[in-house]
Amino acid sequence: MAVKTQELKLDIERIGTVSAILTQPDNARACYVLAHGAGADMRHSFMGKVAAGLAERGIATFRFNFPYMEKKQGRPDQPAVAHATVRAAVEQAAGLCPGVTLVAGGKSFGGRMTSQAQSKALLPDVKGLAFLGFPLHADGKPSTERAEHLAGIAIPMLFLQGTRDKLADPGHLKPVIKALSPKATLHEVEGGDHSFAVLKKSGRSNDEALTEVLATLAGWIDELA
């Protein structure tokens, strides 16, 4: 399957311009608007592996930087700026990949900002939200406040979470998912951390764990269609 990669610019109204990348296999049946985490940009190896793995499965990805990362500033943008960036990315992705199933979300911070944006005003044409490690709480401080806005989201949501994720204690996360049922689905990656890395004693590699994540995500996207 041939895959085309385009380096693009994303214009965010009244905010500025950031870099973006569209990874698009021939005859893509879906597009995932993929936001990066708080500490690494869209070119991080994790983001690249997700884009490549989904392309192999016939799914395009639209990656982009948040303004603070584009400017190489350490502190993440204010939520309003992040939400506007997500909204602009969804709009551009829809224009570049017309007629396919459109989903949005991303890694950690990026997924949470996407869900917040959706809860405030519907992201046009987005059929579902997929989170690659939803950051339910700060490291070592289990709570559920960050999930309160999810109750206002009506479209399907997929939570891909490692069982060793220190930012999503299973004892706190599972009741959240249950309360959101049936619109929310939880898939746990046994032994995975916040980035789905597994311990050597697990008997499998990080790449194998990520393959599980991508296969689950692709299957869920196909169910949306």
PDB file of all heavy atoms in Angstrom, residues 138-162:
ATOM      1  N   ALA A 138      -2.759  13.593  38.004  1.00  0.00           N
ATOM      2  CA  ALA A 138      -1.309  13.787  38.072  1.00  0.00           C
ATOM      3  C   ALA A 138      -0.643  12.522  38.613  1.00  0.00           C
ATOM      4  O   ALA A 138      -1.277  11.707  39.286  1.00  0.00           O
ATOM      5  CB  ALA A 138      -0.985  14.981  38.962  1.00  0.00           C
ATOM      6  N   ASP A 139       0.625  12.362  38.312  1.00  0.00           N
ATOM      7  CA  ASP A 139       1.388  11.194  38.749  1.00  0.00           C
ATOM      8  C   ASP A 139       1.328  11.057  40.275  1.00  0.00           C
ATOM      9  O   ASP A 139       1.707  11.958  41.013  1.00  0.00           O
ATOM     10  CB  ASP A 139       2.844  11.350  38.299  1.00  0.00           C
ATOM     11  CG  ASP A 139       3.658  10.079  38.504  1.00  0.00           C
ATOM     12  OD1 ASP A 139       3.154   9.141  39.144  1.00  0.00           O
ATOM     13  OD2 ASP A 139       4.807  10.038  38.037  1.00  0.00           O
ATOM     14  N   GLY A 140       0.820   9.914  40.710  1.00  0.00           N
ATOM     15  CA  GLY A 140       0.785   9.644  42.133  1.00  0.00           C
ATOM     16  C   GLY A 140      -0.318  10.327  42.912  1.00  0.00           C
ATOM     17  O   GLY A 140      -0.345  10.262  44.148  1.00  0.00           O
ATOM     18  N   LYS A 141      -1.250  10.976  42.214  1.00  0.00           N
ATOM     19  CA  LYS A 141      -2.336  11.693  42.884  1.00  0.00           C
ATOM     20  C   LYS A 141      -3.690  11.279  42.290  1.00  0.00           C
ATOM     21  O   LYS A 141      -4.349  12.065  41.604  1.00  0.00           O
ATOM     22  CB  LYS A 141      -2.138  13.194  42.753  1.00  0.00           C
ATOM     23  CG  LYS A 141      -0.846  13.714  43.386  1.00  0.00           C
ATOM     24  CD  LYS A 141      -0.716  15.221  43.222  1.00  0.00           C
ATOM     25  CE  LYS A 141       0.565  15.741  43.877  1.00  0.00           C
ATOM     26  NZ  LYS A 141       0.712  17.210  43.711  1.00  0.00           N
ATOM     27  N   PRO A 142      -4.106  10.057  42.534  1.00  0.00           N
ATOM     28  CA  PRO A 142      -5.363   9.553  41.944  1.00  0.00           C
ATOM     29  C   PRO A 142      -6.570  10.416  42.263  1.00  0.00           C
ATOM     30  O   PRO A 142      -6.792  10.793  43.415  1.00  0.00           O
ATOM     31  CB  PRO A 142      -5.499   8.158  42.573  1.00  0.00           C
ATOM     32  CG  PRO A 142      -4.104   7.763  42.913  1.00  0.00           C
ATOM     33  CD  PRO A 142      -3.433   9.029  43.347  1.00  0.00           C
ATOM     34  N   SER A 143      -7.319  10.746  41.230  1.00  0.00           N
ATOM     35  CA  SER A 143      -8.554  11.525  41.353  1.00  0.00           C
ATOM     36  C   SER A 143      -9.310  11.376  40.046  1.00  0.00           C
ATOM     37  O   SER A 143      -8.816  10.763  39.093  1.00  0.00           O
ATOM     38  CB  SER A 143      -8.254  12.997  41.633  1.00  0.00           C
ATOM     39  OG  SER A 143      -7.587  13.583  40.531  1.00  0.00           O
ATOM     40  N   THR A 144     -10.507  11.947  39.985  1.00  0.00           N
ATOM     41  CA  THR A 144     -11.317  11.830  38.764  1.00  0.00           C
ATOM     42  C   THR A 144     -11.796  13.176  38.237  1.00  0.00           C
ATOM     43  O   THR A 144     -12.595  13.222  37.306  1.00  0.00           O
ATOM     44  CB  THR A 144     -12.545  10.923  39.013  1.00  0.00           C
ATOM     45  OG1 THR A 144     -13.338  11.483  40.076  1.00  0.00           O
ATOM     46  CG2 THR A 144     -12.123   9.509  39.376  1.00  0.00           C
ATOM     47  N   GLU A 145     -11.315  14.276  38.792  1.00  0.00           N
ATOM     48  CA  GLU A 145     -11.799  15.589  38.363  1.00  0.00           C
ATOM     49  C   GLU A 145     -11.587  15.846  36.879  1.00  0.00           C
ATOM     50  O   GLU A 145     -12.414  16.492  36.219  1.00  0.00           O
ATOM     51  CB  GLU A 145     -11.123  16.701  39.180  1.00  0.00           C
ATOM     52  CG  GLU A 145     -11.628  16.844  40.601  1.00  0.00           C
ATOM     53  CD  GLU A 145     -10.970  15.841  41.556  1.00  0.00           C
ATOM     54  OE1 GLU A 145     -10.104  15.046  41.098  1.00  0.00           O
ATOM     55  OE2 GLU A 145     -11.322  15.849  42.749  1.00  0.00           O
ATOM     56  N   ARG A 146     -10.480  15.346  36.340  1.00  0.00           N
ATOM     57  CA  ARG A 146     -10.188  15.590  34.921  1.00  0.00           C
ATOM     58  C   ARG A 146     -11.175  14.890  33.989  1.00  0.00           C
ATOM     59  O   ARG A 146     -11.183  15.168  32.785  1.00  0.00           O
ATOM     60  CB  ARG A 146      -8.772  15.132  34.586  1.00  0.00           C
ATOM     61  CG  ARG A 146      -7.669  15.998  35.177  1.00  0.00           C
ATOM     62  CD  ARG A 146      -6.315  15.480  34.726  1.00  0.00           C
ATOM     63  NE  ARG A 146      -5.206  16.283  35.219  1.00  0.00           N
ATOM     64  CZ  ARG A 146      -3.919  16.002  34.990  1.00  0.00           C
ATOM     65  NH1 ARG A 146      -3.613  14.929  34.262  1.00  0.00           N
ATOM     66  NH2 ARG A 146      -2.970  16.777  35.467  1.00  0.00           N
ATOM     67  N   ALA A 147     -11.970  13.993  34.530  1.00  0.00           N
ATOM     68  CA  ALA A 147     -12.922  13.244  33.693  1.00  0.00           C
ATOM     69  C   ALA A 147     -14.328  13.826  33.735  1.00  0.00           C
ATOM     70  O   ALA A 147     -15.205  13.355  33.003  1.00  0.00           O
ATOM     71  CB  ALA A 147     -12.961  11.785  34.139  1.00  0.00           C
ATOM     72  N   GLU A 148     -14.558  14.835  34.553  1.00  0.00           N
ATOM     73  CA  GLU A 148     -15.922  15.325  34.743  1.00  0.00           C
ATOM     74  C   GLU A 148     -16.561  15.814  33.448  1.00  0.00           C
ATOM     75  O   GLU A 148     -17.761  15.614  33.226  1.00  0.00           O
ATOM     76  CB  GLU A 148     -15.928  16.434  35.797  1.00  0.00           C
ATOM     77  CG  GLU A 148     -15.646  15.904  37.206  1.00  0.00           C
ATOM     78  CD  GLU A 148     -15.541  17.011  38.237  1.00  0.00           C
ATOM     79  OE1 GLU A 148     -15.579  18.203  37.849  1.00  0.00           O
ATOM     80  OE2 GLU A 148     -15.408  16.692  39.441  1.00  0.00           O
ATOM     81  N   HIS A 149     -15.763  16.430  32.566  1.00  0.00           N
ATOM     82  CA  HIS A 149     -16.324  16.964  31.321  1.00  0.00           C
ATOM     83  C   HIS A 149     -16.751  15.865  30.347  1.00  0.00           C
ATOM     84  O   HIS A 149     -17.528  16.115  29.427  1.00  0.00           O
ATOM     85  CB  HIS A 149     -15.309  17.883  30.632  1.00  0.00           C
ATOM     86  CG  HIS A 149     -14.126  17.153  30.088  1.00  0.00           C
ATOM     87  ND1 HIS A 149     -13.071  16.730  30.870  1.00  0.00           N
ATOM     88  CD2 HIS A 149     -13.807  16.763  28.823  1.00  0.00           C
ATOM     89  CE1 HIS A 149     -12.171  16.113  30.128  1.00  0.00           C
ATOM     90  NE2 HIS A 149     -12.599  16.118  28.877  1.00  0.00           N
ATOM     91  N   LEU A 150     -16.262  14.654  30.536  1.00  0.00           N
ATOM     92  CA  LEU A 150     -16.560  13.574  29.595  1.00  0.00           C
ATOM     93  C   LEU A 150     -18.041  13.214  29.576  1.00  0.00           C
ATOM     94  O   LEU A 150     -18.554  12.711  28.573  1.00  0.00           O
ATOM     95  CB  LEU A 150     -15.735  12.335  29.936  1.00  0.00           C
ATOM     96  CG  LEU A 150     -14.211  12.482  29.861  1.00  0.00           C
ATOM     97  CD1 LEU A 150     -13.529  11.221  30.367  1.00  0.00           C
ATOM     98  CD2 LEU A 150     -13.757  12.813  28.445  1.00  0.00           C
ATOM     99  N   ALA A 151     -18.742  13.487  30.671  1.00  0.00           N
ATOM    100  CA  ALA A 151     -20.170  13.164  30.734  1.00  0.00           C
ATOM    101  C   ALA A 151     -20.979  13.951  29.703  1.00  0.00           C
ATOM    102  O   ALA A 151     -22.058  13.528  29.297  1.00  0.00           O
ATOM    103  CB  ALA A 151     -20.706  13.440  32.136  1.00  0.00           C
ATOM    104  N   GLY A 152     -20.442  15.082  29.263  1.00  0.00           N
ATOM    105  CA  GLY A 152     -21.139  15.907  28.285  1.00  0.00           C
ATOM    106  C   GLY A 152     -20.862  15.540  26.843  1.00  0.00           C
ATOM    107  O   GLY A 152     -21.326  16.227  25.921  1.00  0.00           O
ATOM    108  N   ILE A 153     -20.103  14.475  26.625  1.00  0.00           N
ATOM    109  CA  ILE A 153     -19.759  14.040  25.268  1.00  0.00           C
ATOM    110  C   ILE A 153     -20.686  12.907  24.845  1.00  0.00           C
ATOM    111  O   ILE A 153     -20.836  11.917  25.567  1.00  0.00           O
ATOM    112  CB  ILE A 153     -18.287  13.595  25.201  1.00  0.00           C
ATOM    113  CG1 ILE A 153     -17.368  14.789  25.483  1.00  0.00           C
ATOM    114  CG2 ILE A 153     -17.966  12.970  23.843  1.00  0.00           C
ATOM    115  CD1 ILE A 153     -15.893  14.440  25.559  1.00  0.00           C
ATOM    116  N   ALA A 154     -21.297  13.054  23.680  1.00  0.00           N
ATOM    117  CA  ALA A 154     -22.300  12.082  23.240  1.00  0.00           C
ATOM    118  C   ALA A 154     -21.757  11.041  22.265  1.00  0.00           C
ATOM    119  O   ALA A 154     -22.380   9.993  22.065  1.00  0.00           O
ATOM    120  CB  ALA A 154     -23.481  12.806  22.599  1.00  0.00           C
ATOM    121  N   ILE A 155     -20.616  11.313  21.627  1.00  0.00           N
ATOM    122  CA  ILE A 155     -20.089  10.374  20.643  1.00  0.00           C
ATOM    123  C   ILE A 155     -19.255   9.288  21.326  1.00  0.00           C
ATOM    124  O   ILE A 155     -18.811   9.454  22.464  1.00  0.00           O
ATOM    125  CB  ILE A 155     -19.255  11.102  19.567  1.00  0.00           C
ATOM    126  CG1 ILE A 155     -18.060  11.837  20.194  1.00  0.00           C
ATOM    127  CG2 ILE A 155     -20.131  12.068  18.767  1.00  0.00           C
ATOM    128  CD1 ILE A 155     -17.149  12.499  19.179  1.00  0.00           C
ATOM    129  N   PRO A 156     -19.010   8.168  20.644  1.00  0.00           N
ATOM    130  CA  PRO A 156     -18.233   7.079  21.243  1.00  0.00           C
ATOM    131  C   PRO A 156     -16.811   7.502  21.595  1.00  0.00           C
ATOM    132  O   PRO A 156     -16.202   8.328  20.914  1.00  0.00           O
ATOM    133  CB  PRO A 156     -18.230   6.007  20.148  1.00  0.00           C
ATOM    134  CG  PRO A 156     -19.456   6.278  19.347  1.00  0.00           C
ATOM    135  CD  PRO A 156     -19.581   7.775  19.335  1.00  0.00           C
ATOM    136  N   MET A 157     -16.295   6.905  22.665  1.00  0.00           N
ATOM    137  CA  MET A 157     -14.935   7.173  23.127  1.00  0.00           C
ATOM    138  C   MET A 157     -14.216   5.859  23.394  1.00  0.00           C
ATOM    139  O   MET A 157     -14.794   4.932  23.969  1.00  0.00           O
ATOM    140  CB  MET A 157     -14.953   8.008  24.410  1.00  0.00           C
ATOM    141  CG  MET A 157     -15.469   9.418  24.234  1.00  0.00           C
ATOM    142  SD  MET A 157     -15.611  10.303  25.821  1.00  0.00           S
ATOM    143  CE  MET A 157     -17.203   9.659  26.395  1.00  0.00           C
ATOM    144  N   LEU A 158     -12.943   5.783  22.993  1.00  0.00           N
ATOM    145  CA  LEU A 158     -12.106   4.617  23.246  1.00  0.00           C
ATOM    146  C   LEU A 158     -10.936   5.030  24.128  1.00  0.00           C
ATOM    147  O   LEU A 158     -10.183   5.942  23.782  1.00  0.00           O
ATOM    148  CB  LEU A 158     -11.586   4.031  21.937  1.00  0.00           C
ATOM    149  CG  LEU A 158     -10.570   2.882  22.075  1.00  0.00           C
ATOM    150  CD1 LEU A 158     -11.213   1.669  22.723  1.00  0.00           C
ATOM    151  CD2 LEU A 158      -9.970   2.525  20.708  1.00  0.00           C
ATOM    152  N   PHE A 159     -10.801   4.352  25.254  1.00  0.00           N
ATOM    153  CA  PHE A 159      -9.687   4.601  26.170  1.00  0.00           C
ATOM    154  C   PHE A 159      -8.715   3.433  26.074  1.00  0.00           C
ATOM    155  O   PHE A 159      -9.035   2.312  26.475  1.00  0.00           O
ATOM    156  CB  PHE A 159     -10.197   4.728  27.604  1.00  0.00           C
ATOM    157  CG  PHE A 159     -11.051   5.946  27.856  1.00  0.00           C
ATOM    158  CD1 PHE A 159     -12.376   5.965  27.443  1.00  0.00           C
ATOM    159  CD2 PHE A 159     -10.540   7.053  28.503  1.00  0.00           C
ATOM    160  CE1 PHE A 159     -13.178   7.078  27.677  1.00  0.00           C
ATOM    161  CE2 PHE A 159     -11.326   8.169  28.742  1.00  0.00           C
ATOM    162  CZ  PHE A 159     -12.649   8.188  28.323  1.00  0.00           C
ATOM    163  N   LEU A 160      -7.531   3.695  25.553  1.00  0.00           N
ATOM    164  CA  LEU A 160      -6.467   2.703  25.479  1.00  0.00           C
ATOM    165  C   LEU A 160      -5.496   3.019  26.614  1.00  0.00           C
ATOM    166  O   LEU A 160      -4.856   4.080  26.627  1.00  0.00           O
ATOM    167  CB  LEU A 160      -5.781   2.770  24.122  1.00  0.00           C
ATOM    168  CG  LEU A 160      -6.678   2.318  22.962  1.00  0.00           C
ATOM    169  CD1 LEU A 160      -6.324   3.037  21.676  1.00  0.00           C
ATOM    170  CD2 LEU A 160      -6.576   0.811  22.770  1.00  0.00           C
ATOM    171  N   GLN A 161      -5.417   2.127  27.598  1.00  0.00           N
ATOM    172  CA  GLN A 161      -4.673   2.431  28.822  1.00  0.00           C
ATOM    173  C   GLN A 161      -3.791   1.264  29.241  1.00  0.00           C
ATOM    174  O   GLN A 161      -4.230   0.105  29.218  1.00  0.00           O
ATOM    175  CB  GLN A 161      -5.640   2.720  29.974  1.00  0.00           C
ATOM    176  CG  GLN A 161      -6.656   3.816  29.709  1.00  0.00           C
ATOM    177  CD  GLN A 161      -6.100   5.230  29.784  1.00  0.00           C
ATOM    178  OE1 GLN A 161      -6.651   6.163  29.201  1.00  0.00           O
ATOM    179  NE2 GLN A 161      -4.999   5.394  30.507  1.00  0.00           N
ATOM    180  N   GLY A 162      -2.564   1.568  29.649  1.00  0.00           N
ATOM    181  CA  GLY A 162      -1.699   0.553  30.223  1.00  0.00           C
ATOM    182  C   GLY A 162      -2.076   0.303  31.676  1.00  0.00           C
ATOM    183  O   GLY A 162      -2.455   1.227  32.393  1.00  0.00           O
TER     184      GLY A 162
END
